[in-house]
Amino acid sequence: MSNAQDYRGYINGQWIENDARLAVENPANGQVIGSVPDCSLQQADDALASAQAALKGWKKLPAFERARHLFRLIETMKPKRDLFARLLVLEQGKTLNEAYGEFDDTLNYLNYSAEAARRIEGQIFPADNAGEQLWIQKVPYGVVVGLCAFNYPLALIGRKVGPALVTGNTIIIKPHEATPITACVFAECVEAAGIPAGVINVITGRGLAVGEHLVKSPITQLVTLTGSIRAGQAVCAAVAENVTAVSLELGGKASFIVLDDADIDRAVDAVVISRYANCGQVCICAELVLVHESVAARFTEKVIEKVRQITLGDPMNNPGMGPSVTAQGLARVDHIVQQTLAAGAQLALGGGRPEGAEFAQGNWYQPTVLTQVTADMEAAREEIFGPVLPIVTIKNLDEAIAITNRRNDGLSAYLWTDNYRTIMRAIDELEVGTVFVNKQIVGYIQGYHSGHKRSGIGGEDGIYGIEGYLQKRTVYLNCN
């Protein structure tokens, strides 16, 4: 591709360019759109040393002074809205409208964190003796390593950088190797905002090399990962020797439960949005429909009709859906579909690469609906992370809860019913971090995004997300 561009990493306020490079492909057509440094382990050590050196001065700043830096960062990013949106489309494959939404969300994440500077709280408890005080302070961990997934290359940076900085930590951002360009351009805004050298570093490279090195370092005091369960398990193993703190926002398989008293039309609209947004590459996407047998036929018919209307095409032209990010992810999606069909499910719609010259290259897969799926089939058991909706018929809420809770992950679930007693029971019994009740996929910044069981430890967003970047220090003060 003639206009492919070389991008740079950012360590200690300096730009780095390596002879060793990683090519970045456009998932819509497979063309190379640019390259980033394939950073060495020495450069990873340089980033760690830089973040450690910057930490002392950064955490001594009043929280509101740290927030001022975040506000300036936001201002440097605003004029680049079109650029960031275009880059998100080119390297991640989301539609242009989705890309603009991600940019806006990123600024909101940063702004929320900056505004929280005056709301970081400790506690004072009564002491047992006269002339004494007992304090619980909230203090930064220190050097944070932020590992970002490929589905939201910019928003995940905002989610981690904002709370890390306002609470007094320094951070090294390691983007996914499939989508690192946005992070490099973000670093340009960091420099333009005048954020002190070492407070934010952006290092690119392969996760199994440079990412693991960053995680294993004794300098690292907190690892925050958004990624797969397998990646979270690898991080836990890597930090074991140093007992490094972790915040893991991992995958899951969200049940979309539709009961016999649900508003079917609204549920259909919600499940289509909640499954096919970002080509199904959202950890809280509706991964598995569990629909009551009395309304299953009507619901399924309407879903197929709605999914049939999803258009594909150049993401810059805002079709209904773009491609998958990686060829490996696409192959996995198709494998799950074929295994499920072989087990007896029926293909109601989609099921492969779309026809046409514009889809011959790139990571394209049709919006797919599978019917006559049973709970033991692969599409009902495995996280698909792609545009495939398996539909399972259930007899009652008990069965839906049992199917959901027998999993060893528990990120989110959806429930559609008009019975408030059913709602209260499901909220009480579903073993997941988020329950959407009569609601499509959403993530409010003031909420909290976390999982239960293997879906993670810790989480993002809101006051609890910010607290995840703080550790407690107890002070026994004798004033006598």
Side-chain angles (χ1 to χ4, degrees), residues 248-286:
L248 307 176
E249 194 274 284
L250 309 178
K253 191 170 183 70
S255 298
F256 192 98
I257 302 167
V258 183
L259 299 181
D260 55 354
D261 63 341
D263 185 323
I264 296 300
D265 288 333
R266 288 180 60 210
V268 167
D269 289 343
V271 76
V272 173
I273 293 171
S274 303
R275 169 70 279 186
Y276 300 97
N278 202 26
C279 194
Q281 299 166 121
V282 187
C283 57
I284 56 173
C285 264

Side-chain angles (χ1 to χ4, degrees), residues 409-430:
D409 55 34
L411 189 60
S412 57
Y414 299 75
L415 175 67
W416 283 80
T417 177
D418 282 341
N419 188 312
Y420 78 90
R421 289 186 177 88
T422 300
I423 290 171
M424 296 306 295
R425 180 193 163 196
I427 291 172
D428 199 39
E429 295 185 16
L430 287 168

Side-chain angles (χ1 to χ4, degrees), residues 63-328:
F64 189 69
E65 288 301 316
R66 298 193 294 261
R68 287 183 188 274
H69 285 279
L70 288 175
F71 286 128
R72 283 196 293 271
L73 176 59
I74 292 168
E75 292 305 311
T76 66
M77 293 179 69
K78 284 180 179 178
K80 295 180 180 288
R81 184 173 186 261
D82 290 340
L83 172 62
F84 274 113
R86 178 177 175 275
L87 289 174
L88 287 168
V89 173
L90 288 175
E91 73 169 347
Q92 201 273 338
K94 53 171 45 80
T95 66
L96 186 60
N97 282 341
E98 288 176 321
Y100 276 118
E102 179 171 347
F103 176 86
D104 294 342
D105 284 346
T106 303
L107 296 196
N108 287 334
Y109 288 130
L110 292 169
N111 191 69
Y112 182 93
S113 294
E115 289 180 341
R118 289 194 171 106
R119 297 193 294 272
I120 298 173
E121 298 178 351
Q123 291 173 301
I124 300 177
F125 293 101
D128 289 357
N129 297 315
E132 293 183 357
Q133 288 193 358
L134 172 59
W135 302 343
I136 308 293
Q137 292 183 330
K138 305 281 183 68
V139 298
Y141 278 93
V143 174
V144 175
V145 169
L147 306 175
C148 300
F150 60 63
N151 55 341
Y152 288 96
L154 185 61
L156 291 175
I157 293 174
R159 259 180 159 171
K160 298 178 189 301
V161 165
L165 263 61
V166 79
T167 52
N169 301 278
T170 57
I171 190 167
I172 301 164
I173 288 293
K174 165 63 178 67
H176 193 281
E177 49 263 42
T179 54
I181 291 176
T182 307
C184 295
V185 177
F186 172 81
E188 296 175 6
C189 298
V190 171
E191 182 187 50
I195 293 176
V199 172
I200 301 176
N201 298 275
V202 174
I203 184 166
T204 54
R206 303 179 194 276
L208 291 179
V210 67
E212 183 179 24
H213 192 73
L214 290 168
V215 167
K216 284 186 171 182
S217 171
I219 293 175
T220 301
Q221 297 300 305
L222 171 66
V223 177
T224 167
L225 163 72
T226 303
S228 66
I229 292 174
R230 185 175 60 181
Q233 292 168 329
V235 165
C236 283
V239 303
E241 182 176 352
N242 294 319
V243 199
T244 305
V246 294
S247 176
L248 307 176
E249 194 274 284
L250 309 178
K253 191 170 183 70
S255 298
F256 192 98
I257 302 167
V258 183
L259 299 181
D260 55 354
D261 63 341
D263 185 323
I264 296 300
D265 288 333
R266 288 180 60 210
V268 167
D269 289 343
V271 76
V272 173
I273 293 171
S274 303
R275 169 70 279 186
Y276 300 97
N278 202 26
C279 194
Q281 299 166 121
V282 187
C283 57
I284 56 173
C285 264
E287 278 264 343
L288 174 66
V289 167
L290 302 174
V291 58
H292 193 277
E293 58 187 4
S294 66
V295 296
R298 182 159 58 101
F299 175 85
T300 301
E301 181 182 357
K302 288 177 176 288
V303 165
I304 294 169
E305 179 184 355
K306 192 82 173 178
V307 175
R308 202 184 300 274
Q309 299 171 20
I310 298 175
T311 58
L312 301 177
D314 183 348
M316 286 290 185
N317 295 330
N318 276 318
M321 194 181 79
S324 296
V325 177
T326 68
Q328 294 87 345

Side-chain angles (χ1 to χ4, degrees), residues 25-30 89-90 93 313-315 323-324 358-359 361-364:
E25 295 182 354
N26 182 339
N29 55 30
V89 173
L90 288 175
D314 183 348
S324 296
E358 65 178 313
F359 306 116
Q361 304 297 322
N363 308 322
W364 292 97

